[in-house]
Amino acid sequence: MRQGAENESPIEGEIINESGKGPDTTMAMVVYALYLASFVVGFTSLVGVVIAYVYRGKGPHWLDEHFRYQIRTFWIGLLFATLFSLLTFVLIGFPLLLALAVWLIVRCVKGFKGLQEKRAPSNVDTWLI
């Protein structure tokens, strides 16, 4: 629910949990989990970004920031994964891909922590961690 609106009914399309006490963060957690699962099954990050696009704009601002963060993580990661994969031909791409994996893990852990604390991730607009 919106801040200061504990006794109001949710707006149309707003995500709330079954008990009606605040937004449901399940789908945002699923997206982070799908991003991490992409290390084992490569296409799950694509499923995750689709979910993030679908659920964006249907919750409070701090939850919408998570979906925005997830969408940015996908596109930035895809850009650098493509670039670093091309650089593997000159061998510099391998350590860069490893650094990209660490970057993705840190962003997902940071997102999980923010969801547990019911706050937006810090520095949503950054390309860094």
Side-chain angles (χ1 to χ4, degrees):
M1 295 224 172
R2 297 162 309 279
Q3 283 185 326
E6 290 83 12
N7 295 327
E8 294 180 20
S9 61
I11 59 174
E12 183 178 342
E14 185 177 23
I15 306 167
I16 58 168
N17 62 19
E18 292 86 30
S19 66
K21 296 183 183 187
D24 187 4
T25 60
T26 305
M27 293 313 292
M29 287 187 183
V30 166
V31 174
Y32 286 123
L34 288 170
Y35 283 0
L36 293 174
S38 69
F39 289 111
V40 179
V41 184
F43 67 89
T44 59
S45 60
L46 183 60
V47 174
V49 76
V50 169
I51 291 171
Y53 272 115
V54 168
Y55 281 88
R56 180 179 60 169
K58 295 186 178 175
H61 178 71
W62 66 267
L63 186 57
D64 289 342
E65 288 294 296
H66 276 279
F67 291 121
R68 188 167 151 245
Y69 186 70
Q70 292 165 340
I71 291 166
R72 289 180 54 82
T73 299
F74 174 82
W75 289 112
I76 293 167
L78 181 64
L79 172 71
F80 282 114
T82 303
L83 178 65
F84 296 164
S85 294
L86 293 173
L87 289 174
T88 58
F89 293 113
V90 291
L91 301 178
I92 189 71
F94 293 111
L96 292 174
L97 284 170
L98 181 62
L100 181 64
V102 170
W103 174 83
L104 179 66
I105 292 168
V106 169
R107 282 181 70 102
C108 288
V109 168
K110 180 179 164 185
F112 273 125
K113 186 174 183 235
L115 282 173
Q116 289 176 338
E117 297 171 356
K118 299 208 181 308
R119 63 168 177 76
S122 57
N123 301 326
V124 174
D125 292 325
T126 187
W127 285 45
L128 302 174
I129 297 172

